[in-house]
Amino acid sequence: RARLTGAGAPLAHRGFRLHLAARLLSWTGSAVAPLALAFAALHIGGGPRALGLVLAAGVVPQLAALPVGGVVADRLDRARVMVWSNLACAFAEATAVALLVSGAARVWQLAVMAGVCGAAGAFFAPAADGAVAEVVPAGQWHTANALLKFGQNTGKAASPALGGVLIAAAGPAWAIGWDAVTFAASAVLFARAGALPRTVPPRARFAADLRQGWYEVRCRRWLGVMVCQAALIGPAWLAGYQLLGPLYGERVLGGAGPWGVVVSAFTAGLIAGAVLALVWRPSGAGATVCAGTGALALPLAVIAARIPLPVLVAAMLLAGAGLEVAMVVWASLLQERIPADRLGRTLAYSTLGQTLPVPVAYLLTGPAVELLGLRTTLGAAAALITTAAVLPLALPQVRVLTLAPAEKAGPAPAPRGGVPR
């Protein structure tokens, strides 16, 4: 009962309630936007290449701008950064809606819009993750992260169906318009959320701040190892789940219907994992993150072994739950261990390191299937995930990683000398 009561503790703070409401509202739009953007590109005469161009235009600027976004999140008021990032996306998408409704839209214009939103996301993400530590007291960070994940996953489960209905009833332009409205409304809520006081250090040169962010990752051996782990597990999972999974569903399971059940099971697992994280605060943070991300190997191994659908559904549930617990613990661990005035830059470099290999994995997956076959490629991905999940535990700095008890959790002090490990 005490744990269930504590799960709602962050909601007692007005700043977190507004922050959570803004994120929920934005997620409902962002979950619809990719589908609407795809149909918009096809609606104006674009083919698969045009759609690929639009989607890539949203990713590349985000990766390029992430280190800069981390510096900005540490230098400026994070709520203000989130407000302007949302307004930039709202303006870009409103422009796209006007072009689509008028019939003047071209593929390159949609690509520019996606690029603006991607670049804005590079500023928003480090600021938003760091802002969680500013709208609730230190002892409630873990619970606040779990509440945010629960809201995000619930939105992911419901919004695609809403987007499909909206696109079918009104067209892709209005679905993009809904995303623009949610960005603008979220900006208003972020502006009103406020924050707990934090110390902003004197500004150094911009290049020095960039180097400092990289130093924060490099000088903590456990952090560098775990980022490398994610750089292996993330691409292997996405290639297996997003690219090869539908192919397996088509060839073996019998089409999109059975594979849709599998995808729904993974989403349900994510929601269950967020609920579990609300009432469970594991002390062994390093082991929990390794075990949770390692669970992603289960469904890929089941597919490779061609085990029946019910077992695959159960494996997806476990994988989703494990991943979500790991992500909540990881976010809380960084908030505790990284000094608040360097958190944005550290998060930016961490995200960049995890994301950069993903496009490479997408490009290599097709040739790998042609060379090795579908099941062998999926088995290799499962083996890679398992290996990458276990190896960091050989490092003592990872094995001893713990979350502070809720009543003692707090921000890491800025080191006065030496190298933090």
Side-chain angles (χ1 to χ4, degrees):
R1 183 178 300 175
R3 289 179 178 180
L4 289 174
T5 302
L11 296 174
H13 304 280
R14 177 178 180 273
F16 180 74
R17 291 197 302 272
L18 290 172
H19 182 93
L20 176 61
R23 299 289 292 273
L24 288 173
L25 187 58
S26 182
W27 283 324
T28 62
S30 298
V32 171
L35 184 64
L37 192 59
F39 276 96
L42 297 174
H43 180 72
I44 62 176
R49 286 191 178 184
L51 180 56
L53 172 65
V54 173
L55 295 178
V59 175
V60 175
Q62 184 174 21
L63 294 177
L66 260 174
V68 178
V71 173
V72 171
D74 287 340
R75 282 186 166 212
L76 303 180
D77 177 78
R78 286 172 179 152
R80 188 175 301 175
V81 174
M82 292 187 291
V83 168
W84 284 106
S85 298
N86 275 262
L87 290 178
C89 288
F91 177 77
E93 296 200 340
T95 302
V97 170
L99 291 170
L100 287 167
V101 171
S102 68
R106 300 293 182 268
V107 170
W108 70 267
Q109 294 167 334
L110 296 182
V112 170
M113 180 273 288
V116 171
C117 289
F123 291 84
F124 177 85
D129 290 341
V132 174
E134 298 178 4
V135 292
V136 293
Q140 298 174 10
W141 291 346
H142 180 81
T143 307
N145 290 324
L147 285 170
L148 286 166
K149 284 295 184 182
F150 177 76
Q152 181 182 20
N153 292 322
T154 304
K156 282 182 179 179
S159 295
L162 172 64
V165 172
L166 185 58
I167 292 170
W174 296 109
I176 295 174
W178 166 247
D179 196 23
V181 169
T182 62
F183 273 125
S186 297
V188 174
L189 294 176
F190 283 131
R192 299 180 59 190
L196 300 173
R198 74 179 176 106
T199 302
V200 179
R203 293 185 182 180
R205 290 185 178 182
F206 200 89
D209 277 347
L210 280 174
R211 289 194 298 270
Q212 181 66 45
W214 172 243
Y215 171 79
E216 293 297 322
V217 176
R218 182 175 55 83
C219 71
R220 291 174 172 83
R221 188 174 300 172
W222 61 269
L223 180 54
V225 167
M226 298 301 280
V227 170
C228 290
Q229 180 200 61
L232 293 173
I233 291 179
W237 165 249
L238 291 174
Y241 175 65
Q242 291 185 343
L243 293 185
L244 301 185
L247 186 61
Y248 179 81
E250 174 97 7
R251 292 182 181 179
V252 179
L253 297 181
W259 183 248
V261 174
V262 173
V263 173
S264 298
F266 183 66
T267 304
L270 292 173
I271 296 173
V275 173
L276 177 60
L278 278 172
V279 296
W280 179 47
R281 185 186 182 91
S283 58
T288 301
V289 173
C290 289
T293 53
L296 294 174
L298 287 174
L300 300 186
V302 168
I303 294 174
R306 205 166 178 174
I307 298 175
L309 181 61
V311 179
L312 177 56
V313 169
M316 279 290 186
L317 278 167
L318 290 174
L323 176 64
E324 200 63 8
V325 169
M327 292 177 68
V328 172
V329 170
W330 180 248
S332 304
L333 184 67
L334 291 182
Q335 288 162 353
E336 289 183 13
R337 297 289 181 117
I338 307 299
D341 61 319
R342 305 172 194 178
L343 183 58
R345 284 167 284 177
T346 307
L347 289 168
Y349 276 108
S350 172
T351 303
L352 183 63
Q354 298 172 44
T355 310
L356 272 177
V358 172
V360 178
Y362 285 159
L363 293 174
L364 294 179
T365 299
V369 172
E370 294 176 1
L371 179 65
L372 303 174
L374 177 60
R375 292 173 61 190
T376 302
T377 303
L378 285 163
L384 176 60
I385 291 173
T386 303
T387 304
V390 171
L391 280 179
L393 294 174
L395 189 70
Q397 289 92 336
V398 173
R399 292 199 303 271
V400 301
L401 284 174
T402 58
L403 289 179
E407 66 273 9
K408 296 181 181 179
R416 294 184 179 181
V419 178
R421 295 291 181 181

